[in-house]
Amino acid sequence: MDLDFLKPLLERPGPWASVFVETSRSTEDAAQIQRLRDRAVARQLVDEGADPLTVGAVAERLRAEPASGAPPGRALFATAGEIVLDLPLTTAPPDVEATWTNLPHIAPLLHLRSDEPACQVALIDRTGADLELRSPFGVQDVGHAEGKTWQGRGHRGLPADRYEWHYHNKVENAWEETADLIAAELVRRCPQHDALLVLAGDARERKAVRDRLPPRLRSHTVEVEHGSRAPGASTASLDREIEDARSRYARERIRSTLDDFRRARGRPGEHRAGTVDGAPGPAAEGVPAVLEAVREHRVATLLLGLDAADAGRLIWVGPGPYDIALGRTEAKNWGIGRPKEARADDALLRACVAADSEVLMVPEEAPGPAGGLGAVLRWST
């Protein structure tokens, strides 16, 4: 999961109100249920010590929930009387949850928002491409890449065969320039090395654009058969193909990352079988080892189990995302002034947001790191 959408939470010191609520209104008594829900949220925040301004801001935002078109759930993050982040959820929370903590309680987002990746989509033809960003919450038009077309002017002095050759050559040159332009725009819009890119439209043009992509992006690019830039073209088949591609990509990403983790963890001389340690190697397992990797900005992918035993362990943090330690004394030894307690999962996720690290939820049926916390590292020490 890409956590860039959480970066506004790095800009405030807290403490934080974190609220997760169901927002569906499919029953006749929905209005009454909403009022009870809003009271429960306010009561929980007051009981945990939230300030009146922040409680009021949360209550006002919940009252403004639209009567129709609401997502299954909503997450709110507020501090100092202001809603900093308001996020729709693809899965309704099982219960009302409202907390007042030193760090925003962001861990529930990992299983309440879809883990299928957002992806860039390019609808390509000979004249250019329409660009879309697709996520679990819909389709967003993000721009166009328009090439130039060449129009013949008659050239009545040229023999027919020479004119045809001249015209065809100009058209091909124009298309080559257009393919270059589309590829360059896609590279600009897909800076992450693991971004999923879907190419749709005319087969010949799709291939020409893909061949121009750098290897690191081409390896995460798929082509689909349907899709057209023509006005009014049906999108049903294209939508299905893109959803299938996103699902396959998510499954393969989990599988390959867990394979990398297991291989790294099992290297002779680096990790002893059956133990959890912080020995040098391209993987870390358990809270102490992962915390050390976080402080050194070495986490490429954080692995978190759905019911990780270590997730709720209390550790100590400071104002910076990498100010993180196992205990209060260690925090002070690291130079963290006035450290505060926080959940391990929230602190690690905050650091991953700052470091642009990937975060993956380990499926319940898959063997993951001991205690539910591990990481694939960018490099070994």
Side-chain angles (χ1 to χ4, degrees):
M1 178 180 285
D2 179 7
L3 300 180
D4 274 356
F5 63 93
L6 293 176
K7 286 192 173 177
L9 302 181
L10 300 180
E11 301 167 3
R12 308 292 183 88
W16 289 88
S18 305
V19 176
F20 298 87
V21 293
E22 181 183 359
T23 54
S24 62
R25 296 188 177 186
S26 57
T27 60
E28 292 183 1
D29 58 349
Q32 176 65 13
I33 292 175
Q34 183 190 14
R35 285 192 293 271
L36 294 174
R37 177 204 71 183
D38 295 353
R39 289 175 193 164
V41 168
R43 184 168 57 251
Q44 288 182 32
L45 291 177
V46 169
D47 289 345
E48 296 207 6
D51 65 271
L53 285 177
T54 301
V55 175
V58 169
E60 182 178 354
R61 181 61 60 89
L62 290 176
R63 283 195 299 270
E65 184 71 36
S68 61
R74 186 166 296 281
L76 302 177
F77 299 92
T79 186
E82 182 181 350
I83 303 293
V84 178
L85 208 55
D86 181 346
L87 298 172
L89 303 174
T90 53
T91 302
D95 299 296
V96 171
E97 182 178 0
T99 58
W100 180 250
T101 50
N102 292 314
L103 296 184
H105 184 35
I106 55 181
L109 290 173
L110 298 185
H111 57 88
L112 294 176
R113 284 173 67 97
S114 173
D115 61 353
E116 290 186 7
C119 67
Q120 289 280 349
V121 178
L123 289 164
I124 303 169
D125 65 15
R126 276 192 158 262
T127 64
D130 295 334
L131 307 179
E132 301 173 347
L133 179 64
R134 296 206 174 202
S135 74
F137 302 101
V139 180
Q140 178 185 357
D141 292 331
V142 294
H144 308 274
E146 297 296 344
K148 67 178 184 180
T149 57
W150 186 83
Q151 298 293 334
R153 297 184 178 178
H155 296 283
R156 285 174 290 182
L158 290 174
D161 57 344
R162 289 187 62 191
Y163 169 74
E164 290 297 331
W165 175 88
H166 185 69
Y167 178 81
H168 178 74
N169 191 53
K170 287 290 187 181
V171 168
E172 285 301 309
N173 287 342
W175 161 243
E176 296 290 329
E177 293 181 19
T178 299
D180 288 338
L181 183 151
I182 295 171
E185 183 65 11
L186 291 174
V187 170
R188 186 181 73 84
R189 291 181 177 275
C190 300
Q192 297 93 351
H193 71 280
D194 56 353
L196 174 61
L197 173 61
V198 177
L199 304 181
D202 300 337
R204 183 170 177 264
E205 284 68 34
R206 291 197 315 258
K207 183 178 184 305
V209 171
R210 183 170 188 166
D211 289 345
R212 286 165 166 78
L213 297 174
R216 58 96 182 165
L217 182 54
R218 195 184 314 142
S219 65
H220 296 289
T221 299
V222 297
E223 296 183 49
V224 295
E225 296 298 323
H226 296 89
S228 171
R229 296 184 79 198
S234 172
T235 65
S237 296
L238 174 64
D239 293 343
R240 286 194 295 271
E241 284 190 290
I242 291 175
E243 289 309 304
D244 288 345
R246 289 172 59 199
S247 296
R248 288 195 304 272
Y249 181 80
R251 291 194 299 270
E252 175 58 24
R253 187 76 184 140
I254 288 284
R255 185 199 64 76
S256 63
T257 302
L258 286 175
D259 285 348
D260 290 344
F261 174 78
R262 285 189 285 266
R263 282 194 296 269
R265 180 181 59 180
R267 287 189 174 186
E270 293 183 339
H271 295 274
R272 300 183 302 277
T275 68
V276 178
D277 62 33
E285 185 174 28
V287 174
V290 176
L291 257 63
E292 180 181 354
V294 162
R295 279 195 299 264
E296 297 171 352
H297 305 190
R298 289 191 294 126
V299 173
T301 303
L302 179 71
L303 297 170
L304 186 62
L306 185 60
D307 294 313
D310 288 339
R313 175 176 173 176
L314 291 179
I315 60 174
W316 292 82
V317 299
Y322 310 114
D323 295 338
I324 187 168
L326 284 173
R328 184 182 182 88
T329 301
E330 182 185 83
K332 291 190 173 183
N333 290 339
W334 279 103
I336 302 174
R338 302 179 66 182
K340 301 175 181 178
E341 283 188 310
R343 287 175 57 106
D345 51 4
D346 290 332
L348 292 171
L349 289 170
R350 179 181 68 155
C352 287
V353 173
D356 293 321
S357 302
E358 184 181 26
V359 177
L360 293 178
M361 289 293 295
V362 180
E364 192 173 1
E365 67 277 7
L373 279 175
V376 177
L377 307 182
R378 290 178 169 132
W379 68 86
S380 303
T381 57

